[in-house]
Structures are given as structure tokens and as C-alpha cells.
Amino acid sequence: MQIVMPPESIAEQDSLIGKPLRRREDVRFVQGQGRYVDDVHLPGTAWCAFVRSPHAHARIRSIDTKAAAHMPGVLLVLTAADWDKAGHGELTVVHPMPFSDGRPMNCAPRPAFARDAVHHVGDIVAAVIAETRFAAEDAAEAVTVDYEPLPAVTTTRAAVATGAPLVHPQFGNNLVFEIERGDRHKTEASLKSAAKVVELHLTNSRLSANPMEPRAYLCDYDAAADHYTLYATSQQPHYLRRWLSIYTLHIPEHKIRVISPDVGGGFGVKGFFATEVSTVVWASQQLHRPVKWTATRTETFLSDAQARDHDTTARMGFDKDGRIVAMQVDTLAALGGYLSNFAPSIPGNSYPQTITGLYRTPNLHLRVRGVYTNTVPIDAYRGSGRPEATWNNERLLERGARELGIDVVEMRRRNLIGRDDFPYPAPGGRVYDSGDPPALLDKLLELADYDALRREQKQLRQRGVLMGIGLAAFIDKAGTGPSGNLAKRGGLHGGWENAVVRVHSDGKVTIFAGSHSHGQGHEITFSQIAADRLGLPIDDIRLVEGDTDRIPFGNGTWGARSASVAGTAIYRAADKVIAKATRFAAQMMECAPADVEYRRGTFRVRGTDRSVCFAEVADIAYHGAALPADGSLDPGLEVSEFYDPPDTNDPQAMHLAVVIVDPDTGTVTLRDLYAADDCGVVINPMIVEGQVHGGLAQGIGQALREQIVYDPDSGQLLTASFMDYGMPRAADLPSFHTAFIATPAPSNPLGVKGASESGAIGAPAAIGNAVIDALWHLGVRDITLPITSETVWRALHTAKAQTAPGH
């Protein structure tokens, strides 16, 4: 691996970059000593419960809270009328997506309380705060709401059908936005002249993230100090504070402290501005006592933002040698009953930028329409737009390979972007920064022993065993770009990150980072970066995250940005610490700073035996005895660094799945899954491999089990528990085989790229292609997600019926 090393004097030490050091937090986690929001118990805590709509779409005629208000233990009942009377504001959409013709999108943000109508099952109508959780939940059931049911639309394509029920009638249709990318005329002309054109109708099923820890909020309002302390399951504590202050409750930011302790999984769903949190904070302020809410698992299904839900018609054209000449994609992307924070940017930004993947695609025409449906709102979930893009791109490419009679590996070789093509301007609007897709393919084939798999497949087929092999190649989009670019696109958040490197007077170090770790292993990874730059033992360094009163500001953890953005802030801050410490050391040794060299915790005058250790310098820095008389050096040894990256980065990966399909039952057994990743320089291989494993598990879940289902007539959520929603189980997951190559990202000095999302991006497409590979000779040409035994059984029987005599 190519590794970007510290300055010459530090580079001579053994680097910690690339070493698989164990996570520090795991010991307390396996001992049950983690501290989550629901573990925080404050004296006098009251509980909040929410009244949620049983209808997907209905007019609210009236709300009667009198009976609930008089029940034992009830302290407060709140509705939209109370919210409006208090003068509170609206939740916001931080990344809008205008129409391609410049019109603003049709924006209906998710409200804290539904006012005149409800727009999905689970929409919040009222809140009850009581002495105990059970008292609050009992009283919530006593709130009487008179609904007038209205027609609902729950499926993506139905939202744009003639005469479809309107989710928000003020817009006159169900469109959120409509964008186009590429050149329609050139694309259609290329498709018309292509030697082969394949067309597929592709759906990407709706998912629920379902972190192990449900969302929870606990607010303690100190009336004497007029100060709020909010414990929150949040990936973005500083932005949660900002959103509460600027958009909903109008509380000055300096009066709100947000603490995000241990968070049991996020995956994006704990990054948006949840509807419940403003109410919890507001109720605490009114009651002058702590108020807590922890979601039940059913509430998680009814209120956590969901994901994916695309309906796409796509075509891909090839020349006679199998090279792609054009791709045309028409996608409907459901965004739910309201717009959540980042929702429009997922199909409107991330999806288009990765739609052509790692292939040379000279002509592209993409149309994306975001649509409202009477369903739970959509927001970010691991991969955010890239799994949808990869599913479309990879299914089309393999379909073309099979119809042209070209091996799927050879088809990829003919179309892959080459190493020398980078930086590569993709037609979807993104310039890919660096990579070597052919080398990545070679690494995957070597890892899986592809030729041996094909020989085994042939032998098994002679015995009647249906084995399939499927590949998927894809590009990710990680990190964040310059804040100015985000602002130009209407973004209401930054792309930078903050880190403070504080050297204590004994020479030990605390890092304060604006990101947040909820499974990513930041503590060890960030400590490796700091120890490498500072030349100190890693045990002398600790990390603090998730507390807005201890960290200046931060954009949080999302979009696989922590290592490239927060890691670089730490890297740069550490360099500045050494630069200042060098000046202190020079003052102590009575020489010029240019004469000082630093190695492994020791400052030395070049060519002499005069030296001072890092701890001695830290001590002097804080008691001020060695300060120069001219005032050119201030006491202390602490640096706060704000790093705004010049660009995002482009991780790449390829997956290969091996499945066995039972033709009698349709059961798919995932036997093997191989993943080769290029995530730039790897700081901690064990952490990165674990991130890939976790993503693969979630990608497998989408491929084989998971799907949110609504009744098309009533709009009722039919998958509101684990009895109905197919979370992947251990038996669904094979042993994973992983390998890595490294093409450093040019946009950050560490050379790192994001690694946390790739597993979820490619696994569905690889598994889908493997199932088609197993069944192609039986006439099966298409498969839909999730690939359940029923889905496969129906596909087999449909193919059999179509090939039967007389059909």
C-alpha cells in the first residue's frame, strides 16, 4: 500500500498506519457496560408518548385531549395547536433539489405535529407526557381523534398515474422534483444505432434500517440557568443542536448542550432531524423537569426514516463487441409523505453521480422524478443512492453480456475505466478522483478463483444442482466536498470538520472531534493518526466525541466522511502542535527552531546530544517559564483545526456472489461472497474489514429478505415487526472473503477513501446476477428484490409456462 507519511524527521519511526489495532471500546461493550441514552436515569424524569395516525391519509376533523389530560399521572398533552401557539417553527430540508428548469422543489417538510391532515400511518398527531412510561402510553390511547379518511397512494409508480390521490393537494401533483442529466438526443440516437439494446424494469425495494438501539431522547431543562441538556441518539449532535435552535424551538445555541453517548448503530437513520426530539425538549422546558422518550420497535417502523424505494425503466446499448454505447434511465424515487432532511439529495445527487459505475459510458440520459407517497418519509441509509444505481447498471450490463454471448468477466474488461483514465469525468456529473478498476477485478477473480468456480458450476449442473455466480462492480461517493460547493447547490450544512488536539501538561493528549462514532471504531483509528503524526505512544492518546459543550463544532458522521475529513483535521492539528512544540524546545535548548529535529517523543539539536522529551516541552508550555521575552510564543499546547476538503473521494469495489438455488422451493442459499475494495490508504485493516462485513450483511438483507410493505388500498404498514420484516439472520450470512488494493485519494493528505458503505452497495446486484446466472438456462430473465423463495419459485414457473408447447 502507498501511505502518505509524516515529515521526514517523524517518518523514520515505525508507522501505525496500516496496523490492525484492536478497538478500545469493545471490552466495555461485551461486558454490558456501554452507556446509551436509555441508560441515563435522572431524578424526576417524566415520559413522553406519541399519538400516531392509524390512517395513511386522512383529514383531521378534531382532536379531543380532555380525557387523556385527566388520567392519573398525566402532566401535559400537546398538539399542533399548542405548537403553533408557542410560535415554534418548521423542521427543515437541508439539501433541496430544484427542478432542472430552475423551479424550486415542491417542499413539504416533516412536521412535529400533523395539522389539518395526516399523510402516513404513524404520523404524529399529539404527545402525552406523564409520570411513567405506562401512564403516558395509556393516556395516548385516550386521545380521541376524529379522522375523515382520504384516498391514499403508497406505490411509487401509482403516484404519477392519471387521477392518483394527491398527497399534498397544494402542489397539484405528487412530484417533489424532476431532474435530467446527460443528453437525451445523443443517447437515443446511439441506442437506435446500437448492435444490441437491453431493457429492464427494475425496482429497488423499500427498507427500514432497524439499528439495534432504537432512537431515544432525554432532555433536562435547568430553569435556574435557563439551559437544556439533551441526551440524544444522534450521528450529528452539533447539527441537532443547530436545528433545534434555528428551525424549530428558537432557543439560542449556547443554551443547549447535546450529548450523544454510546449509540447502538446509526446507518444514517440517526442523522436526520427527527420529529420527536423537538417535542421532548419543549416538554422539558414547560415542566421544568427531565422528559424522556424511547421508541418501541413498532414505532421504529412507523417513524424512523425508511430507504430506497425506486421504480426504474432502463436501457443499455452495446456495439457488436459488447462495449457500452449508451444508457438511458427513467427513475421514480419515492420520498414518502413528507420530506426528511437529506431526502431529496439521495435520488437527486448521489444516485445520478454513480449511475454509470465503473464503466465507460459515452452517452447517458437520466431522468429522476422524486414523488410523494402516503408512506413513512425516506432519508439516508447506508449507501444512499449508490445501491440503487448499482442494481440498475449491473443488471443491464449482465443482461447484455448474456444476450451477446460474452462471458460476464470479459464484458467487464471491455468496459472498465482504466487506471490512466483518472481523473475520469463520468456522464452523471461526477469527476472520479482515482482508481484502478482492472486491477480491482483481477484481485476479485484471484480471491474467488473464478475459473475454478465456473468448472465447479458446470460439474454441479450435470448433477442437477443450480449454482450461480454473479458479479457487481461499482463506485461509491464518500466524504464531503467544499462547503462553498454545497452552498451553491442550496445545501444548509457544511462539508468541513473540526478537531482539537490538546496536549496536557504531562505530555498526554486528548483529541476532541466533531464526528461521532457509533460502530466505526473512531477511537482507535483517530488515535493511530494522531500517534503517527505526534510520534507518541498510542496509549497516551484518547478521543472525545459527541458533546457539543466540549467540541467547538462538527458536521458529524455520515457519508463515509470521518477518516477523510475528521481524520485530516486531526492530522493537520497534530502537525501544528509539533510545530509549536518545536519552538518551545528550541527556546529550552537555546537554538533556532530550524536546528531542532523530532523523533519518537524527543526533540534534539541536530548534530549534538542536547535533547528534551515531549513531556518536558509540554510541562514548560503550560507553566510558561520558557516563553520568549518578545511575546512571540503563547503558553499552552493546543490546536483547533477546521478542515474543509477540496473534494469528495471515490471508493470502488467489486463483489462476487455464489448461490445455490433449489428449483423445487425457490430457496436461495448464499454460499460465498467475495469483496475486493479500493478504499485508498487503509489506516486500520481490522476496522475497515469489519465495516465491509457489516455493509455486506445489510446488502444481503436487502437482496434476500428485507422489504417494507404497505397495503396498496388502505396504506397500512404490513411489516411493522420482526415477525413480518425479514431482517437477515446469522444463517443467511456466509463467511466473507475480502481483499484490498489502494489507490490513494488525492483530496486528502492521508490518501484515505470511505470504506463503510461499499458492502451494502454491491451485494444486492451481485446476488441478483448470481440468481439469474443459476436460472438463465431455464428461461428466467429477470428477478425482483427481495429475492425470496416465493419470488424465485414464481420466476421459474413463469419461465416454464412461457416455454411450454402452445404458449
Side-chain angles (χ1 to χ4, degrees):
M1 293 183 183
Q2 181 179 347
I3 297 174
V4 181
M5 289 296 293
E8 179 183 355
S9 60
I10 303 177
E12 296 175 14
Q13 70 187 54
D14 292 335
S15 176
L16 292 174
I17 301 297
K19 291 190 175 180
L21 304 184
R22 292 184 178 181
R23 301 196 325 173
R24 293 171 171 172
E25 61 267 39
D26 288 344
V27 172
R28 61 187 174 88
F29 284 154
V30 299
Q31 292 178 346
Q33 296 178 357
R35 187 170 185 259
Y36 302 90
V37 171
D38 203 51
D39 295 324
V40 179
H41 302 289
L42 302 178
T45 296
W47 281 83
C48 181
F50 291 95
V51 179
R52 299 181 182 277
S53 168
H55 300 282
H57 198 196
R59 188 171 291 110
I60 300 174
R61 291 192 181 112
S62 65
I63 303 173
D64 187 348
T65 63
K66 294 178 182 176
H70 289 91
M71 290 183 67
V74 172
L75 304 169
L76 192 64
V77 182
L78 301 169
T79 66
D82 301 301
W83 179 272
D84 294 339
K85 184 177 179 181
H88 297 323
E90 292 287 342
L91 284 76
T92 189
V93 178
V94 300
H95 206 309
M97 185 57 55
F99 285 76
S100 282
D101 61 10
R103 287 177 292 151
M105 68 180 184
N106 294 324
C107 186
R110 200 171 183 181
F113 296 94
R115 290 179 175 82
D116 301 322
V118 293
H119 298 292
H120 66 87
V121 173
D123 208 352
I124 294 174
V125 178
V128 176
I129 297 87
E131 295 285 356
T132 67
R133 181 171 190 165
F134 295 127
E137 290 174 351
D138 288 345
E141 292 185 5
V143 173
T144 302
V145 184
D146 183 11
Y147 295 101
E148 177 189 345
L150 298 171
V153 57
T154 59
T155 60
T156 311
R157 189 154 294 277
V160 295
T162 302
L166 298 182
V167 180
H168 297 286
Q170 67 268 30
F171 300 132
N173 56 49
N174 287 321
L175 285 182
V176 178
F177 63 81
E178 180 174 351
I179 64 168
E180 291 194 62
R181 298 286 185 269
D183 190 312
R184 175 193 290 270
H185 299 296
K186 287 185 178 179
T187 299
E188 291 182 347
S190 295
L191 288 169
K192 187 175 182 180
S193 62
K196 167 64 69 173
V197 176
V198 297
E199 180 172 341
L200 289 171
H201 177 224
L202 300 153
T203 58
N204 213 272
S205 47
R206 178 178 279 249
L207 305 178
S208 175
N210 277 305
M212 188 176 294
E213 178 202 20
R215 286 185 299 111
Y217 307 104
L218 168 62
C219 186
D220 184 14
Y221 175 65
D222 182 343
D226 190 22
H227 187 269
Y228 304 76
T229 300
L230 172 65
Y231 298 87
T233 51
S234 175
Q235 300 173 212
Q236 299 167 280
H238 286 88
Y239 265 95
L240 178 54
R241 180 184 68 175
R242 173 174 168 79
W243 294 332
L244 288 166
S245 173
I246 302 298
Y247 297 115
T248 57
L249 301 183
H250 310 308
I251 302 166
E253 280 191 62
H254 71 286
K255 294 186 176 184
I256 307 173
R257 179 185 186 183
V258 177
I259 300 173
S260 291
D262 292 328
V263 173
F267 315 121
V269 76
K270 292 175 183 172
F272 62 87
F273 192 9
T275 50
E276 297 87 356
V277 63
S278 298
T279 300
V280 170
V281 175
W282 178 35
S284 179
Q285 185 270 332
Q286 291 194 68
L287 295 173
H288 291 192
R289 61 189 289 185
V291 175
K292 178 186 277 192
W293 173 76
T294 300
T296 65
R297 185 54 61 182
T298 295
E299 280 186 301
T300 291
F301 281 105
L302 290 172
S303 61
D304 280 9
Q306 295 171 357
R308 316 289 195 247
D309 202 353
H310 281 201
D311 188 305
T312 295
T313 300
R315 296 190 293 164
M316 185 176 281
F318 306 88
D319 66 17
K320 61 182 178 59
D321 296 319
R323 290 181 176 83
I324 299 170
V325 297
M327 183 181 186
Q328 187 169 44
V329 181
D330 190 345
T331 292
L332 291 167
L335 294 173
Y338 304 101
L339 295 187
S340 187
N341 287 57
F342 294 92
S345 69
I346 298 167
N349 183 41
S350 297
Y351 177 68
Q353 290 191 28
T354 56
I355 189 67
T356 56
L358 292 177
Y359 306 122
R360 295 186 183 91
T361 306
N363 296 289
L364 170 71
H365 175 244
L366 170 69
R367 178 171 74 151
V368 182
R369 288 172 287 171
V371 297
Y372 287 111
T373 56
N374 292 116
T375 58
V376 173
I378 292 287
D379 211 309
Y381 171 59
R382 202 170 197 166
S384 294
R386 282 86 83 193
E388 300 94 310
T390 302
W391 177 253
N392 297 341
N393 193 32
E394 286 297 313
R395 291 291 309 284
L396 287 167
L397 182 102
E398 288 227 353
R399 180 65 172 264
R402 296 187 192 287
E403 293 197 7
L404 286 167
I406 302 172
D407 177 78
V408 294
V409 168
E410 177 58 27
M411 189 74 156
R412 287 176 169 84
R413 288 198 190 281
R414 296 180 187 183
N415 287 284
L416 283 173
I417 302 163
R419 183 184 182 96
D420 295 337
D421 294 328
F422 290 90
Y424 182 79
R430 169 78 184 140
V431 178
Y432 303 161
D433 59 0
S434 64
D436 191 346
L440 197 59
L441 179 59
D442 290 339
K443 177 66 73 172
L444 178 69
L445 299 178
E446 177 188 2
L447 179 69
D449 197 350
Y450 178 75
D451 292 337
L453 285 176
R454 285 298 183 194
R455 289 193 297 270
E456 182 188 5
Q457 180 186 41
K458 186 175 181 179
Q459 294 167 359
L460 289 175
R461 189 159 294 175
Q462 292 172 351
R463 292 158 40 194
V465 177
L466 301 182
M467 171 179 160
I469 302 167
L471 282 79
F474 57 93
I475 192 155
D476 193 2
K477 175 176 164 289
T480 38
S483 300
N485 285 358
L486 291 171
K488 288 177 184 177
R489 298 200 301 266
L492 302 178
H493 62 90
W496 55 267
E497 197 49 79
N498 167 255
V500 176
V501 174
R502 177 180 297 165
V503 180
H504 301 282
S505 63
D506 63 353
K508 303 300 189 286
V509 177
T510 298
I511 303 165
F512 300 87
S515 51
H516 188 278
S517 183
H518 35 278
Q520 294 90 344
H522 288 182
E523 188 169 357
I524 191 64
T525 302
F526 288 172
S527 294
Q528 284 177 254
I529 295 171
D532 226 50
R533 301 304 293 179
L534 295 171
L536 297 176
I538 195 168
D539 290 341
D540 286 358
I541 298 169
R542 76 182 186 110
L543 174 70
V544 173
E545 291 182 309
D547 187 335
T548 60
D549 269 15
R550 301 180 71 183
I551 299 149
F553 203 90
N555 280 285
T557 295
W558 48 277
R561 66 188 296 274
S562 295
S564 62
V565 187
T568 298
I570 293 167
Y571 174 106
R572 288 159 58 112
D575 281 359
K576 292 179 180 179
V577 163
I578 293 298
K580 185 176 183 181
T582 298
R583 295 174 65 195
F584 274 117
Q587 181 77 10
M588 293 167 68
M589 295 185 289
E590 299 181 337
C591 69
D595 294 332
V596 177
E597 62 181 2
Y598 178 62
R599 290 194 187 99
R600 300 183 181 180
T602 301
F603 296 88
R604 186 181 306 277
V605 179
R606 285 187 176 90
T608 75
D609 59 358
R610 291 158 56 197
S611 66
V612 292
C613 70
F614 187 86
E616 291 176 302
V617 173
D619 180 67
I620 289 295
Y622 280 95
H623 70 59
L627 292 177
D630 62 5
S632 61
L633 192 58
D634 295 326
L637 204 49
E638 176 176 320
V639 172
S640 180
E641 177 75 8
F642 289 81
Y643 173 66
D644 200 8
D647 200 357
T648 54
N649 56 81
D650 299 287
Q652 295 137 52
M654 296 188 190
H655 293 170
L656 187 150
V658 180
V659 302
I660 304 295
V661 181
D662 185 332
D664 296 322
T665 65
T667 300
V668 176
T669 300
L670 180 60
R671 197 189 75 177
D672 297 291
L673 191 56
Y674 302 88
D677 278 78
D678 177 1
C679 49
V681 173
V682 174
I683 297 169
N684 186 317
M686 185 175 67
I687 296 292
V688 171
E689 189 172 16
Q691 288 287 292
V692 171
H693 284 190
L696 290 172
Q698 289 178 295
I700 291 166
Q702 177 178 4
L704 299 178
R705 281 182 167 271
E706 297 184 52
Q707 184 179 24
I708 287 288
V709 179
Y710 291 90
D711 179 81
D713 297 321
S714 67
Q716 288 298 316
L717 177 61
L718 303 180
T719 50
S721 76
F722 288 152
M723 294 293 290
D724 309 297
Y725 186 83
M727 287 288 284
R729 294 163 170 79
D732 298 318
L733 309 180
S735 294
F736 299 133
H737 311 273
T738 59
F740 299 87
I741 69 169
T743 57
S747 58
N748 67 83
L750 286 162
V752 301
K753 302 177 183 178
S756 61
E757 302 191 274
S758 81
I761 295 171
I767 293 168
N769 284 338
V771 172
I772 294 294
D773 184 58
L775 305 179
W776 182 268
H777 67 292
L778 298 177
V780 174
R781 299 292 180 263
D782 194 15
I783 202 75
T784 58
L785 293 171
I787 308 170
T788 63
S789 56
E790 179 185 1
T791 303
V792 175
W793 185 89
R794 290 187 182 279
L796 280 165
H797 280 258
T798 298
K800 185 177 180 180
Q802 289 174 344
T803 57
H807 182 271

